[in-house]
Amino acid sequence: MSKTSKRIKPSPKPQNALTYKPDVDAEIIKKTIGVIGFLCILSTILFNKTKEMGGAVFPVMCFLALGVAVAVLWFEGKLTTQNAVLLIIAAGFIIRLNYVIYTPLSETARLRQHDMYKFGGDKGHSAYIEHFYNNGFTLPDFNPTTKAQFYHPPLHHLLAAMWMRILTTFGMSYSRAIGSMQFLSLFYSSCVLVVCERIFTKLRIEGRSKLLALTVCAFHPQLILLSGSVNNDGLALLFTLLAVYTTLKWYEEPTTKNILMIALSIGLGMSTKISVALVSIPIALLFLIKLIKEKKKLYENILQYCIFGVVCLPLGLWFPIRNAIKFDVPLTYVQKLSPTSDQYIGDKSVYERLFDYSYHPFENVFLNRVATGADFFEYNPLVAIVKTSLFGEYNFSTSNEHITPFCRILLILNMVMIFLSIAAMVYFIVRKNRFADMPEKVFLVFYNVLMFVYFIKFCFDFPHNCSMDFRYIAPSCILGVLFIAAAREQFALDFKKNEVAVKAVKITTGAAEILFALTSIIVYIMLGA
C-alpha cells in the first residue's frame, strides 16, 4: 500500500497547501493512464465494430467482479481512498467500453454521432478524417467553408487518420478500422476521469467527497456519450480539463514548466476545436490577479506570460490564421445552417425561447425533434441542456421501449444535481475555505458562468435545434460536482457544532450523487440490452 494512501474518511481536516499530502499517489495515477491505453488497444483487437454487438451480460459481469473486489478489500481493511479511486475509474471505463461496443460505427452505420455524414463522401468529420488518411496527412488545399466540418482545426482528425493507418498497415480491414476510431474516443473519455481526480486532489478534496464526485464523473451520461463519439468534442474536453488542472498547479507552483503545460493544453486544445479558447479568458484573469498581487515578482511573471504567449498563440491560432490568409475565412468562423433548415428556431422571440414553458417541455423526457418522433423542434436552450446532458439529441426509447421511466427518473435527479451545484457554487465563492484561495475560486466560478453565458449567446447566434447541445459546455458538469464536494466539506467545517445540519447536507448531497450515478448505469446498460 502506498504511504500516501489513507483509509476513507468522511470529513478531511484542513491542511495547508504546502504540507498537504494527497490521499492518492500521483505515480499510481500516471500508471493508470498507461493501463487505460493498453486496455483501449486490447479492445481494438478484441471487438469488431462492423458486426452487431450489444447485450447486458458484459457490463453486469464486470460490475459483479468489481463488487467482489470491493468486498474483499473492505473485509481485509484495504479499501483505502486510493483503491476506491482506482475501482471507480475501472467502473467508469467499463460503462464507456460497453457503450462503445453496442454503438455501431462503420461505412454504413453511424449511430449517435454528430456531423459525421457518410464515409466515402465529401463532407463531415468522416470525410475530413478520410482526407488525411488518403492524402498523406497533408492539409486540405481548398476553402474549408465549402465543405461541412472542414473548418475545424485538424488535430483530432489527424490522430484518427493516423490510428486508422496504423491499424490497416497491420492488416485490419478499412471498414473495421473505421469502427475502431471509437476506441480513441474511449481513451480520451477515460483519461478525463483521471484528470478529474487530479483536479479534485489539487483542490484538496479527499475522502468520501472525492469518491462521490468522481463517481458522478465516472457515470455522467455526457461523458459516456463522448466515449463513443468520433468527432472532436472528446479530445477538446480532455485538453480543456488539462488546462484547468495545469492552471491550478501553476498557481500553487508558478514555475516555467507549469505555465508551459498550460500553454500546451490550450494550444493543442485549440488545434482540436477553436472553442477551447474560452478557457483562456478566466486563465488570463488569474494571470492578471497574480501579476497585481505579486508586484515584487513583476518581471518574473511578465517573462512567464511571454513564454506562455510564444507557445500558446502559434499552436492555437495557426490554422485559423492560415485560413484567413489563404481563403479570407474569419478567425472565429463557425458553420451556420440555413434559415430554411427544418431545425431553424430563429422565428421564436427571446421571451419564448427563455421563459415560455406553456408547451410543457418535460412531457417528452428526450429532446423534442421532428426527426426523432416529436411534433416540433425544441427551442428553449435551458430545457435543452437539461435533456441533452443526459441523452444527447437522441430518443432512447427507439432502442429500448422499456427505458423511458428510468430516463425520467434520471432527468429528475439531474435537475436536483443542477440545483445543488448552483447552490454549492454560490457557497464556494462567498465562504472563505481551505480548498482554494480567492483567485482560484474566481477562476473556477468565472469559467463556469462564462461557459453558460457563451452557450446562451451561441444558441441565439446560431438559432437551430442542434446548437442547444450540452456537449458545447461539457466541462460544467465536472465543475458542478467539484463545487458540491467542496461546499459539502466546507459546510461541515463551518457548522461542525450543528451535527444535525451537517449530517442532513451530507446525506442529501451523497444520496443525490449515488442515485444519479446508479440510474445512469441502469439507463446506459438498458440502452444496449
Side-chain angles (χ1 to χ4, degrees):
M1 187 188 304
S2 169
K3 292 181 180 179
T4 59
S5 181
K6 303 174 183 178
R7 293 296 300 272
I8 301 172
K9 297 179 181 180
S11 300
K13 296 178 181 179
Q15 298 184 58
N16 183 279
L18 297 176
T19 60
Y20 173 64
K21 294 182 179 180
D23 54 7
V24 179
D25 195 322
E27 291 302 315
I28 294 291
I29 289 297
K30 289 178 183 177
K31 292 175 182 177
T32 301
I33 296 174
V35 171
I36 290 171
F38 170 76
L39 291 175
C40 288
I41 294 171
L42 185 63
S43 299
T44 302
I45 297 168
L46 292 177
F47 300 109
N48 184 350
K49 296 302 304 299
T50 61
K51 299 177 180 179
E52 188 71 24
M53 307 179 86
V57 175
F58 171 76
V60 170
M61 293 300 293
C62 288
F63 282 122
L64 283 174
L66 282 176
V68 171
V70 169
V72 170
L73 289 170
W74 178 269
F75 285 117
E76 291 189 1
K78 296 181 180 179
L79 190 58
T80 61
T81 300
Q82 177 164 285
N83 288 336
V85 163
L86 296 177
L87 288 169
I88 291 169
I89 292 174
F93 178 82
I94 289 167
I95 200 74
R96 286 159 172 73
L97 175 60
N98 184 58
Y99 176 76
V100 169
I101 290 171
Y102 68 67
T103 302
L105 177 68
S106 65
E107 291 163 298
T108 57
R110 298 173 302 279
L111 186 61
R112 291 186 290 274
Q113 298 293 331
H114 293 285
D115 304 316
M116 287 299 295
Y117 297 87
K118 66 177 182 179
F119 288 91
D122 65 348
K123 60 182 179 179
H125 292 291
S126 55
Y128 201 177
I129 292 168
E130 287 185 313
H131 169 86
F132 289 118
Y133 181 89
N134 294 324
N135 293 280
F137 308 112
T138 57
L139 288 170
D141 195 22
F142 54 80
N143 189 327
T145 65
T146 60
K147 292 186 178 182
Q149 308 309 319
F150 275 71
Y151 71 91
H152 283 287
L155 180 58
H156 162 75
H157 305 84
L158 271 166
L159 291 173
M162 289 173 64
W163 178 241
M164 285 182 64
R165 176 61 68 187
I166 291 169
L167 295 177
T168 53
T169 299
F170 280 92
M172 184 176 285
S173 70
Y174 184 76
S175 182
R176 184 174 173 182
I178 287 173
S180 295
M181 283 191 291
Q182 285 181 301
F183 295 111
L184 269 184
S185 300
L186 172 65
F187 177 74
Y188 303 150
S189 183
S190 299
C191 285
V192 161
L193 267 181
V194 177
V195 179
C196 287
E197 190 282 331
R198 289 290 86 189
I199 291 173
F200 300 152
T201 295
K202 184 53 64 179
L203 291 174
R204 299 179 289 287
I205 295 170
E206 54 187 21
R208 291 179 187 172
S209 291
K210 174 192 280 187
L211 298 181
L212 287 168
L214 194 62
T215 298
V216 175
C217 296
F219 302 114
H220 197 288
Q222 186 62 210
L223 304 183
I224 297 173
L225 286 167
L226 288 178
S227 67
S229 181
V230 185
N231 67 357
N232 51 1
D233 289 326
L235 185 58
L237 175 61
L238 178 58
F239 280 127
T240 299
L241 293 175
L242 280 170
V244 171
Y245 168 64
T246 52
T247 299
L248 293 171
K249 189 174 181 181
W250 168 83
Y251 182 79
E252 194 174 286
E253 305 171 55
T255 63
T256 302
K257 175 186 174 182
N258 286 339
I259 206 166
L260 277 173
M261 294 305 296
I262 305 173
L264 287 171
S265 299
I266 298 175
L268 292 173
M270 290 174 65
S271 288
T272 302
K273 193 170 185 177
I274 199 67
S275 60
V276 173
L278 192 67
V279 74
S280 66
I281 299 174
I283 289 174
L285 177 61
L286 190 65
F287 284 178
L288 178 61
I289 293 171
K290 197 171 184 68
L291 192 68
I292 295 171
K293 282 183 65 178
E294 299 181 351
K295 294 179 180 179
K296 292 181 179 180
K297 296 182 179 180
L298 181 66
Y299 296 110
E300 182 181 327
N301 286 331
I302 290 176
L303 178 60
Q304 281 200 2
Y305 298 163
C306 290
I307 293 171
F308 170 86
V310 166
V311 174
C312 183
L313 292 177
L315 193 57
L317 294 174
W318 69 272
F319 188 71
I321 289 174
R322 168 191 180 269
N323 291 338
I325 294 172
K326 292 192 69 173
F327 308 109
D328 199 29
V329 178
L331 288 177
T332 57
Y333 174 82
V334 177
Q335 203 157 25
K336 196 171 188 176
L337 293 179
S338 168
T340 60
S341 166
D342 61 348
Q343 291 195 50
Y344 183 72
I345 50 179
D347 55 334
K348 301 289 183 182
S349 68
V350 174
Y351 175 82
E352 285 178 300
R353 293 199 62 189
L354 293 178
F355 304 109
D356 179 17
Y357 294 88
S358 61
Y359 69 102
H360 305 294
F362 292 107
E363 279 187 1
N364 179 11
V365 68
F366 306 109
L367 187 71
N368 285 300
R369 304 192 84 188
V370 174
T372 56
D375 296 328
F376 65 99
F377 282 101
E378 198 90 59
Y379 53 82
N380 188 319
L382 303 179
V383 174
I385 55 175
V386 175
K387 293 181 177 181
T388 57
S389 65
L390 304 175
F391 318 116
E393 300 169 25
Y394 319 111
N395 184 340
F396 285 7
S397 65
T398 59
S399 298
N400 188 323
E401 60 183 3
H402 305 295
I403 203 171
T404 303
F406 295 96
C407 292
R408 189 166 296 281
I409 294 170
L410 186 58
L411 184 69
I412 294 169
L413 290 168
N414 191 38
M415 288 192 244
V416 172
M417 289 290 292
I418 291 169
F419 171 78
L420 289 175
S421 67
I422 294 171
M425 181 177 71
V426 173
Y427 194 80
F428 178 79
I429 191 70
V430 300
R431 297 293 298 180
K432 184 177 180 180
N433 59 57
R434 74 176 184 85
F435 300 101
D437 292 341
M438 182 53 74
E440 293 174 295
K441 293 198 291 183
V442 169
F443 162 61
L444 293 169
V445 172
F446 177 54
Y447 180 42
N448 202 41
V449 173
L450 181 67
M451 268 192 292
F452 179 75
V453 172
Y454 165 79
F455 176 78
I456 297 299
K457 181 180 182 299
F458 181 80
C459 290
F460 281 94
D461 289 344
F462 299 86
H464 290 84
N465 179 264
C466 60
S467 300
M468 301 186 297
D469 197 315
F470 182 82
R471 64 193 173 96
Y472 296 118
I473 54 169
S476 63
C477 69
I478 292 155
L479 292 177
V481 294
L482 186 155
F483 294 140
I484 292 173
R488 177 201 289 116
E489 290 304 328
Q490 189 57 44
F491 186 88
L493 293 172
D494 292 343
F495 298 91
K496 57 186 175 183
K497 293 181 180 180
N498 191 339
E499 293 183 7
V500 175
V502 170
K503 187 171 289 188
V505 167
K506 288 192 174 184
I507 290 174
T508 301
T509 54
E513 290 172 304
I514 291 170
L515 288 172
F516 179 85
L518 286 175
T519 310
S520 179
I521 292 170
I522 292 169
V523 166
Y524 276 85
I525 288 178
M526 288 184 69
L527 183 61

